[in-house]
Amino acid sequence: MRMRATRSAGFALLLGAILGAGEARAEHLIVSVSNHRVTVTPNYSGEELVLFGSIERDDHTPLPRTGYDLVVTVSGPPVDMVTRRKERWFGIWVNANSRQFLQVPTYLAVFANRPLDKIAAPDLLRRQRLGLNNVLLTQRVGSDYADVVPSDPFRRAFIRLRSEQGLYRENTSAVTFLTPTLFRTGIPLPAEVPTGTFTIDIKLLADGALIAKTDTAFEIVKVGFEQFVATAAKQHGLAYGVATALMALMAGWMASIVFRRD
């Protein structure tokens, strides 16, 4: 009797799994970027890449009732940075305090097709790190290492300063759906964009739930004389320093001759 009950329970679980699999969503993303290698020359003034893609569905997956939502996060190479707070002492602005940010993106952009709070609940946005307020920005706080609340003054100042340089941005109307399953968005790169590998994280949501994700990347490299100088400084630091000092001395000597003749 007990064996029959066990078998019946097993069949019920198997049937439930089959029915559940039939109801599961089956979307996946196919994406590409207009240029996977951006070259920076001495006269580089910035440009805009285009990310485009499609949502592939099987024949049994219907379109969601409210349509799809897409959030694209572009991250530049990570570095350590410091934010300083200045105070006025006896008429002079001095550094009063500072906060070190550890391995944070040099470039960070978040693009979506509508406001993030309309796309998903706050807890899902936090778990998936969607939006500038939810991205992980690890800091050295005393002897600890942690991210802090979005209202932290150093965190807010850091994002504000990077945003003023065009290196951090959030645009919740930048993703355009050309059809219910085809989309595109621009990725603006300012003149001060850092070099290195940039990752693009794409998350697809529907009815407030994450249903698919993928990623791609592009690279920004220096070419010409700038690349030669950067490579020499990195690979031959001592020789580069000596050569720079000699060039400075020569320039000063030439200037003294010119002014002496005048």
Side-chain angles (χ1 to χ4, degrees):
M1 192 73 177
R2 184 177 300 170
M3 185 176 294
R4 287 183 181 178
T6 303
R7 288 179 179 175
S8 298
F11 284 132
L13 289 173
L14 178 60
L15 180 60
I18 293 173
L19 292 175
E23 295 174 357
R25 305 197 67 94
E27 291 97 341
H28 66 277
L29 292 162
I30 298 177
V31 299
S32 185
V33 65
S34 58
N35 189 0
H36 286 276
R37 190 172 189 269
V38 178
T39 57
V40 176
T41 59
N43 59 350
Y44 178 81
S45 59
E47 64 177 287
E48 181 172 285
L49 302 184
V50 177
L51 174 77
F52 49 91
S54 66
I55 304 166
E56 300 296 317
R57 302 177 299 119
D58 61 29
D59 296 335
H60 305 290
T61 301
L63 287 169
R65 296 186 306 273
T66 58
Y68 291 111
D69 290 306
L70 206 73
V71 182
V72 177
T73 304
V74 185
S75 300
V79 297
D80 293 346
M81 287 186 256
V82 176
T83 294
R84 292 181 172 84
R85 182 174 64 190
K86 293 182 179 292
E87 292 183 359
R88 196 175 182 86
W89 285 58
F90 304 105
I92 301 175
W93 288 100
V94 296
N95 293 326
N97 205 346
S98 65
R99 183 78 57 81
Q100 184 179 20
F101 289 79
L102 306 173
Q103 292 299 289
V104 292
T106 48
Y107 176 94
L108 181 62
V110 180
F111 307 120
N113 60 301
R114 60 177 179 149
L116 297 177
D117 59 354
K118 304 294 183 183
I119 291 178
D123 59 337
L124 187 142
L125 296 177
R126 283 194 297 270
R127 288 199 307 271
Q128 297 299 325
R129 297 176 184 173
L130 300 178
L132 292 184
N133 283 338
N134 297 308
V135 71
L136 181 63
L137 296 176
T138 303
Q139 304 168 48
R140 188 195 300 273
V141 184
S143 59
D144 295 328
Y145 301 89
D147 195 4
V148 294
V149 295
S151 59
D152 174 76
F154 281 100
R155 194 183 199 278
R156 291 176 59 185
F158 176 77
I159 292 178
R160 176 179 57 81
L161 292 172
R162 303 296 289 175
S163 299
E164 290 175 355
Q165 296 172 334
L167 297 170
Y168 276 32
R169 63 182 70 218
E170 181 173 305
N171 188 340
T172 56
S173 61
V175 175
T176 301
F177 276 93
L178 307 174
T179 72
T181 58
L182 296 176
F183 59 87
R184 73 177 299 279
T185 186
I187 303 174
L189 303 174
E192 298 80 11
V193 67
T195 58
T197 300
F198 288 61
T199 60
I200 308 177
D201 180 72
I202 305 102
K203 288 186 169 68
L204 179 68
L205 301 97
D207 299 324
L210 177 68
I211 59 175
K213 60 182 178 179
T214 190
D215 59 76
T216 186
F218 63 92
E219 186 181 15
I220 297 181
V221 296
K222 288 183 178 180
V223 295
F225 181 72
E226 286 191 353
Q227 176 61 25
F228 170 76
V229 172
T231 302
K234 183 176 181 180
Q235 298 181 358
H236 310 285
L238 179 60
Y240 174 78
V242 172
T244 302
L246 290 174
M247 290 178 64
L249 288 173
M250 185 174 293
W253 177 69
M254 292 294 293
S256 65
I257 293 177
V258 172
F259 284 115
R260 190 180 303 163
R261 288 178 180 177
D262 292 342

